[in-house]
Amino acid sequence: MYKPKQLVILTTCPDAETAKMIANALVAKQLAACVQIGQVVESVYRWNNDICQSQEVPLHIKCTAKQYKAIEQLVIQMHPYEVPEFIAMPITNGFGPYLQWIEDNSLS
């Protein structure tokens, strides 16, 4: 079974302040090599049987697979949503030096 060494984790935040707080904590603790804070997006979703619409700020977290659980715990702890989006996608291919940079800038 293939086990990825690196991941891209996606999440969204209710505002830029929360996004920056989470991004800085992840990089400062060396759980992620890089966190990209995206532009505001409009999300449409179902919550408690209602269709909701809100603006959110996306985060793309580049990290090692070894750090997944610690990142999940930190994001869930810092995030104001009851059930935040938290999706990990394996990096199956990429520029070798960049993938090594992710490894070098995350705790082993």
Side-chain angles (χ1 to χ4, degrees), residues 7 10 17 23 38 41 50-51 54-55 59-60 63 84 87:
L7 304 172
L10 306 177
E17 182 179 330
V41 296
D50 291 325
I51 295 178
S54 61
Q55 292 189 333
L59 296 180
H60 295 165
C63 60
I87 300 169

Side-chain angles (χ1 to χ4, degrees), residues 71-87:
I71 292 169
E72 181 183 64
Q73 289 174 352
L74 186 136
V75 170
I76 300 305
Q77 174 188 350
M78 295 181 76
H79 208 289
Y81 290 172
E82 183 179 338
V83 181
E85 172 186 9
F86 198 84
I87 300 169

Side-chain angles (χ1 to χ4, degrees), residues 5-11 19 21-36 59-72 74-75 86 91 98-108:
K5 290 178 68 178
Q6 301 91 8
L7 304 172
V8 174
I9 298 174
L10 306 177
T11 190
M21 180 180 63
I22 291 172
N24 280 299
L26 290 170
V27 174
K29 293 177 184 289
Q30 290 185 282
L31 296 176
C34 172
V35 181
Q36 291 176 314
L59 296 180
H60 295 165
I61 303 163
K62 279 64 144 287
C63 60
T64 62
K66 293 176 187 176
Q67 296 305 323
Y68 173 85
K69 270 300 195 194
I71 292 169
E72 181 183 64
L74 186 136
V75 170
F86 198 84
I91 298 174
Y98 182 79
L99 298 179
Q100 186 60 52
W101 175 81
I102 292 174
E103 293 287 327
D104 294 345
N105 287 282
S106 300
L107 291 176
S108 299

Side-chain angles (χ1 to χ4, degrees), residues 34-46:
C34 172
V35 181
Q36 291 176 314
I37 302 171
Q39 296 295 314
V40 173
V41 296
E42 193 75 22
S43 295
V44 179
Y45 53 95
R46 183 176 296 278

